[in-house]
């Protein structure tokens, strides 16, 4: 069975600081990995995804993530946080058989001025 | 145009009632899903449909009955509502079941409160 672990339910950064949100996965097959963002009272929006084409994946809003098979990780980073980045971030792995997503528990990113 | 829409956005009801949530996607996708997000923001798959056929039912009580009249619509009917059903329900769609690397597009969610 696939699973995703997100370390840290809350991460606080100052505006302009580096953002690092951690995600580790468990999968018996090469995984498809996703980062989604949820702004307050909204649905989820895809930030980026890993589909084995390249280990460093660039997404929207300046975010990127690196797939590291040896560490079973897919951490999300952004060089400089903006206030508008404050949201809940979900890492997810896709079931190759049924295309359903298994989500981590989410990390709330708080950005202070 | 909204890609995945859900109605209603908010639903407040009494225990024991029956309610429905509707979902429509205008993306031409074959596969649709229902996810439940609990009070701790944890998201879990409930159902997936492909071309109107049920593919996944993730140990959801049979009080929950999804229905897909056509591949653009996936509705969720809930009988005998319980306090524990209070959550945000998200509908999503993706191009096809056979491509699990595709993005899933999510609706805005329906916040269900059972009193």
């Amino acid at each position: 069975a696939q699973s995703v672990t997100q370390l840290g339910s809350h991460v606080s950064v100052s505006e302009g600081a580096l953002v690092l949100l951690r995600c580790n996965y468990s999968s018996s097959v090469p995984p498809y990995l996703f980062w989604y963002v949820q702004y307050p009272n909204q649905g989820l929006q895809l930030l980026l995804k890993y589909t084995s084409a390249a280990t460093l994946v660039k997404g929207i809003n300046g975010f990127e993530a690196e797939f590291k098979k040896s560490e079973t990780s897919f951490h999300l980073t952004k060089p400089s946080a903006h206030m508008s980045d404050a949201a809940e971030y979900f890492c997810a792995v896709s079931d190759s058989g049924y295309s359903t997503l298994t989500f981590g528990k989410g990390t709330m990113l708080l950005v202070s001025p | 145009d909204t890609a995945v829409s859900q109605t209603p956005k908010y639903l407040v009801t009494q225990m024991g009632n029956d309610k429905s949530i509707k979902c429509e996607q205008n993306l031409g996708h074959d596969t649709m899903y229902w996810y439940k997000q609990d009070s701790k923001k944890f998201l879990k798959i409930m159902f997936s449909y492909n071309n109107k056929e049920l593919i996944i039912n993730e140990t959801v009580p049979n009080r929950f009955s999804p229905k897909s009249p056509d591949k653009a619509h996936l509705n969720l009917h809930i009988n005998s509502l319980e306090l524990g059903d209070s959550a945000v329900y998200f509908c999503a769609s993706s191009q096809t079941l056979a491509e699990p690397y595709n993005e899933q597009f999510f609706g805005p969610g329906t916040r269900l409160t059972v009193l």
Side-chain angles (χ1 to χ4, degrees), chain B residues 35-89:
Chain B
Y35 289 88
K36 179 180 180 181
Q37 186 174 45
D38 64 22
S39 59
K40 295 186 179 178
K41 299 284 184 80
F42 184 55
L43 275 152
K44 192 166 166 29
I45 182 72
M46 297 174 70
F47 302 101
S48 74
Y49 268 71
N50 190 61
N51 279 322
K52 303 192 302 175
E53 289 191 25
L54 178 66
I55 304 298
I56 289 277
N57 176 344
E58 282 290 330
T59 59
V60 177
N62 58 15
R63 296 183 296 104
F64 290 78
S65 53
K67 282 192 173 46
S68 182
D70 55 62
K71 74 175 194 177
H73 296 85
L74 180 61
N75 304 322
L76 184 64
H77 188 76
I78 316 170
N79 289 328
S80 304
L81 277 155
E82 301 178 357
L83 293 176
D85 298 332
S86 295
V88 181
Y89 293 84

Side-chain angles (χ1 to χ4, degrees), chain A residues 6-112:
Chain A
Q6 291 184 241
L7 288 175
S9 58
H10 291 80
V11 169
S12 295
V13 299
S14 299
E15 197 171 17
L18 171 72
V19 175
L20 170 61
L21 304 182
R22 297 178 188 274
C23 173
N24 288 88
Y25 70 90
S26 168
S27 175
S28 57
V29 296
Y32 300 114
L33 294 161
F34 304 79
W35 276 100
Y36 281 85
V37 61
Q38 185 180 24
Y39 297 102
N41 297 315
Q42 293 187 29
L44 281 76
Q45 179 184 1
L46 181 70
L47 276 177
L48 49 79
K49 63 181 181 180
Y50 169 74
T51 60
S52 77
T55 56
L56 183 61
V57 181
K58 293 190 185 299
I60 61 171
N61 300 339
F63 284 93
E64 63 181 40
E66 186 172 9
F67 173 72
K68 291 187 177 180
K69 185 177 178 180
S70 60
E71 298 176 10
T72 61
S73 69
F74 189 55
H75 301 331
L76 182 71
T77 60
K78 181 173 179 177
S80 175
H82 293 169
M83 297 293 290
S84 60
D85 294 327
E88 188 91 29
Y89 291 79
F90 293 94
C91 183
V93 61
S94 177
D95 183 313
S96 59
Y98 298 108
S99 296
T100 56
L101 293 172
T102 298
F103 286 92
K105 293 191 174 182
T107 299
M108 172 67 76
L109 176 64
L110 305 166
V111 183
S112 55

